Amino acid sequence: MRIVFATGNAGKIREIKDILDDTGAEVFSLKDLSLTAEAEENGTDFGTNAFIKADEIYKKLNSLGQMNDTVVMADDSGLCIDHLGGEPGVHSARFMGHDTDYSIKNAAILAKLDGIPDEERGAQFVCHICAIDENGVRYDAEDEMPGMIAHESRGKEGFGYDPIFYLPELGKTSGELSEEEKNAISHRGKVLRSMKRILRDKGIL
Ligand code: IMP
């Protein structure tokens, strides 16, 4: 069995390989197969965007006759902040511009929530995974990591919004968690484990 994950992000591939290790499936990134994803992620929810990415790669591999014993997967994720009506949400990567440094994006979010009390600082990292099997059947899973927006940026681990995402029960931001600690509780870790269960139950993995 081969899993093609529609991402060029090395960190995601490492996490996916780790979680799917016990399935015996071989995991490939787009780069491994010299494929590129060009489709615009213009959906208004994570599920639609994950499907857009997975479907593009499924169609490319299918037209090349390369879907035998293969599952294509894609994820879409983002930070949803209650006080901002769920934003940046599906716009997380594009918020303030794709190439804007996260120190600037994070400072802007902290400024938007300046003076807002703890009980109104709730936020979630959400991740949706869409998988498409060799017969074109689609499987979906979504999960989240709940927390709150910190009062200041802390930690150098992780990426993106991790330094401002505070986990009250751990007393740390996700930017202060090791990769292993974060994978155990993260939105992406949870949803990957759910997708593994779904595909196992269907006899695919
Ligand atoms: P995606 O790669 O298209 O799913 O974009 C996800 C975007 O959401 C990233 O570029 C980050 O801005 C944000 N994001 C998603 N998951 C995380 C996380 O675990 N930590 C920090 N930022 C995240």
Side-chain angles (χ1 to χ4, degrees), residues 1-3 23-28 69-71 134 203-205:
M1 172 55 61
R2 181 171 81 137
I3 292 172
T23 66
E26 270 192 282
V27 181
F28 296 88
D69 245 355
T70 298
V71 173
E134 61 183 334
I204 292 169
L205 280 183

Side-chain angles (χ1 to χ4, degrees), residues 123-127 143-147 162 165 167 174 177 182 185-188 190:
Q124 311 81 41
F125 272 126
V126 179
C127 183
D143 217 322
E144 62 180 49
M145 172 163 72
D162 279 328
F165 190 78
L167 298 149
S174 51
L177 301 180
K182 188 176 163 201
I185 58 163
S186 79
H187 46 318
R188 197 167 295 102
K190 284 182 185 172

